[in-house]
Amino acid sequence: MVAVLFTTLLRRHAPEQAVLLSMLAVCGVTLWAGMALSPVLVQIDTMLQGCGLTGAEIGVIGKAAGICCITQLAGDICKDSGEAALATAVTLAGKTALLLLALPFAQILLSVMDEVLS
């Protein structure tokens, strides 16, 4: 909340510095949230391993979650900076990255479906 107050006050006199302060605050809050989520991530990892998933599959799920979070943050920063078109491009890039990440799973799913239907 302090960063929001300072950013709002700074935006009137130095909009470039306000954007930098906002980005710094976002990075700080994101790092704090990542550290605070550590026990939750350990619990989720334990549950996923109990389901019989391999380490590679769990890694892909983690990467997908990271891509979603980073894409959302980057898009919001672009929107706050007045760059709506860039925000849309960042969102599209994030969706493309998720599709590329999901391709091996889609391949496995289609092969399993082919075996079941045969």
Side-chain angles (χ1 to χ4, degrees):
M1 293 306 297
V2 172
V4 171
L5 177 65
F6 284 138
T7 302
T8 304
L9 293 173
L10 192 58
R11 187 166 285 138
R12 294 181 187 153
H13 304 290
E16 295 84 13
Q17 280 90 12
V19 170
L20 290 174
L21 177 62
S22 175
M23 290 172 59
L24 182 65
V26 165
C27 289
V29 170
T30 303
L31 288 173
W32 175 83
M35 290 186 302
L37 279 175
S38 181
V40 174
L41 294 175
V42 169
Q43 183 65 33
I44 289 172
D45 186 47
T46 303
M47 290 188 307
L48 289 174
Q49 286 179 355
C51 294
L53 295 175
T54 65
E57 293 164 341
I58 293 171
V60 169
I61 293 169
K63 287 177 187 176
I67 289 171
C68 290
C69 292
I70 291 171
T71 300
Q72 182 69 43
L73 287 172
D76 288 346
I77 288 172
C78 291
K79 284 180 187 175
D80 286 348
S81 301
E83 298 292 336
L86 186 56
T88 303
V90 166
T91 303
L92 179 63
K95 290 176 183 177
T96 303
L98 280 175
L99 284 173
L100 289 172
L101 194 62
L103 274 177
F105 281 120
Q107 231 172 3
I108 293 169
L109 180 64
L110 288 175
S111 67
V112 169
M113 287 176 54
D114 185 42
E115 288 177 18
V116 169
L117 294 175
S118 295

